[in-house]
Amino acid sequence: MSDQALRSTALEEVHRALGATFTDFAGWNMPVRYDSDLAEHRAVRESAGLFDLSHMGEIHLHGPQAADALDHALAGKMSAMSLGRAKYSLLLTEDGGVIDDLITYRLAEDHFLVVANASNAEVVAGELVDRAADFDVEVEDASAATSLIAVQGPAAEQILLDALLADGSGVEGPSAEVITSMGYYRFAEGTYRGADLLIARTGYTGEDGFELYVANEFAVPLWEQLTAAGGDRLTPCGLACRDTLRLEAGMPLYGNELSRDLLPAQAGMAKVPALKSKGDFVGRSAIESKDASGLPVLVGLAAEGRRAARAGAAVRDAEGNEIGTVTSGALSPTLGHPIAMAYIDPASSEVGTDLVVDVRGKDLPVRVTEMPFYRRG
């Protein structure tokens, strides 16, 4: 795809002014880093990072049967979710493969917001339209008009309080108590300069943090307000460090650990589909009828030294038999040693099993380890 064809977020000029390096991510011209991947990664672990995630997809479902439509469309039971809560779920194919993993927010009894990965946003919106056709519900793809800004890290809560609750901030609605008492996968709504503002305690870094949804025309002032309030505590961060952060946190990435060719059980997500608590949904019969016990499973791998396995590297057992493939790998900035995720033969998946990964033609001894690799204290 040519540069001219790439889509831009409302914050692109802000990123350019900050000296960002850009990359093509799912057809979007996104900041991959501003200075140092390592410094940005450590900023999130030690203080806070500021991310532009406006390439993600936001799809609203309004109507008296919105909950029923989502129960049919998604693997989770959205009708059981309380107002003010969010839920992680999967959009499956009829064959049980994963079209996308997504987060759904219940804004009202008859109003839900589904947030999809950037690379799948249009596909998810189309699937939801098709799957909701027999229900009394309206599906609205608001992705092009919505910006998403994330503040992630141990200082995120205080920065948010300083930015949004100061006199003249333009924010109406959420109080300090609402923000500080907000649990994980909870959210609050308010307004920013008169426009809708959704503040969610969610994220993709393994740290405490918030994600803020606002209309595009208010993204720049909100970003600048957060930056001013955060000062030295807040570092603009690109997608490169977001990838190492989520890998340390053991969070799957669509296209690496999730795909249409993989069943949820293979990714350790056998409990995500609500098989016991709701009726039929797209993909249910397939995941109930297929025996996944002999299929490759997702595991964590850890090694010593500084060489890291990358996606696509072959995994072998002690006898030299190729038993799987690395899906994500990096030298962990926090832990100081290589980590990776890989799909391997379940016979070799027990924690503590010694294996070998091919790193550019050289053997890297690795050990199957529990995930997440990093868990915040």
Side-chain angles (χ1 to χ4, degrees):
M1 181 177 288
S2 67
D3 289 346
Q4 288 76 18
L6 293 178
R7 301 175 67 181
S8 299
T9 75
L11 289 159
E12 181 165 317
E13 291 308 313
V14 174
H15 303 319
R16 291 193 185 282
L18 290 169
T21 300
F22 289 84
T23 188
D24 175 357
F25 188 91
W28 288 81
N29 195 31
M30 298 299 296
V32 65
R33 65 182 62 81
Y34 298 85
D35 185 9
S36 159
D37 297 352
L38 182 60
E40 291 170 20
H41 183 109
R42 286 178 173 166
V44 175
R45 290 281 181 253
E46 297 169 3
S47 183
L50 184 63
F51 296 85
D52 177 12
L53 306 177
S54 302
H55 57 324
M56 303 287 279
E58 292 85 13
I59 303 121
H60 292 264
L61 282 85
H62 309 260
Q65 290 189 298
D68 296 331
L70 284 172
D71 279 354
H72 167 69
L74 305 183
K77 188 175 182 180
M78 298 304 140
S79 60
M81 185 165 48
S82 303
L83 302 185
R85 296 203 175 195
K87 187 177 181 66
Y88 179 86
S89 190
L90 299 170
L91 183 74
L92 302 178
T93 67
E94 291 282 2
D95 292 333
V98 179
I99 295 175
D100 201 14
D101 63 328
L102 29 77
I103 296 176
T104 300
Y105 300 85
R106 189 163 200 169
L107 308 180
E109 287 294 332
D110 59 353
H111 184 190
F112 294 78
L113 168 63
V114 177
V115 178
N117 285 296
S119 58
N120 291 325
E122 293 184 8
V123 172
V124 170
E127 287 288 343
L128 291 177
V129 168
D130 292 343
R131 297 181 186 193
D134 294 332
F135 296 86
D136 186 4
V137 61
E138 178 183 349
V139 181
E140 176 198 3
D141 184 356
S143 304
T146 305
S147 291
L148 171 55
I149 298 171
V151 184
Q152 299 282 300
E157 181 182 281
Q158 189 57 54
I159 291 171
L160 209 67
L161 293 171
D162 294 346
L164 303 187
L165 301 181
D167 290 341
S169 71
V171 175
E172 299 287 344
S175 64
E177 182 180 0
V178 166
I179 292 175
T180 56
S181 64
M182 188 186 298
Y184 192 45
Y185 269 61
R186 306 289 195 276
F187 68 90
E189 294 181 270
T191 61
Y192 177 64
R193 301 190 178 188
D196 290 342
L197 173 67
L198 188 151
I199 304 170
R201 199 157 207 156
T202 50
Y204 192 56
T205 62
E207 292 297 335
D208 184 23
F210 298 84
E211 295 180 313
L212 292 82
Y213 298 83
V214 69
N216 286 344
E217 53 266 43
F218 300 99
V220 171
L222 180 58
W223 175 283
E224 292 176 341
Q225 205 157 315
L226 290 163
T227 299
D232 293 339
R233 298 173 295 173
L234 187 63
T235 300
C237 295
L239 296 185
C241 83
R242 191 168 184 255
D243 191 50
T244 51
L245 288 161
R246 71 93 193 166
L247 175 57
E248 287 183 348
M251 296 176 170
L253 174 66
Y254 189 87
N256 290 42
E257 284 78 40
L258 300 173
S259 80
R260 289 172 179 256
D261 298 323
L262 294 164
L263 299 171
Q266 294 180 255
M269 297 182 176
K271 294 183 178 179
V272 175
L275 297 176
K276 295 181 179 178
S277 61
K278 72 170 186 175
D280 195 20
F281 57 88
V282 178
R284 175 172 189 137
S285 61
I287 58 176
E288 283 185 314
S289 61
K290 291 184 177 180
D291 180 8
S293 59
L295 298 176
V297 294
L298 186 66
V299 298
L301 302 175
E304 297 180 352
R306 308 294 290 178
R307 289 188 301 139
R310 302 298 181 185
V315 183
R316 298 194 299 272
D317 64 14
E319 286 72 44
N321 302 306
E322 188 167 325
I323 59 165
T325 306
V326 170
T327 52
S328 298
L331 177 63
S332 166
T334 304
L335 304 173
H337 62 75
I339 58 174
M341 292 189 212
Y343 275 100
I344 66 171
D345 187 326
S348 299
S349 64
E350 184 176 349
V351 171
T353 303
D354 289 324
L355 302 171
V356 171
V357 172
D358 186 322
V359 180
R360 295 181 292 278
K362 295 183 178 179
D363 287 349
L364 174 68
V366 297
R367 179 166 293 175
V368 178
T369 186
E370 292 183 353
M371 290 194 286
F373 303 100
Y374 163 85
R375 194 186 302 274
R376 67 186 169 95

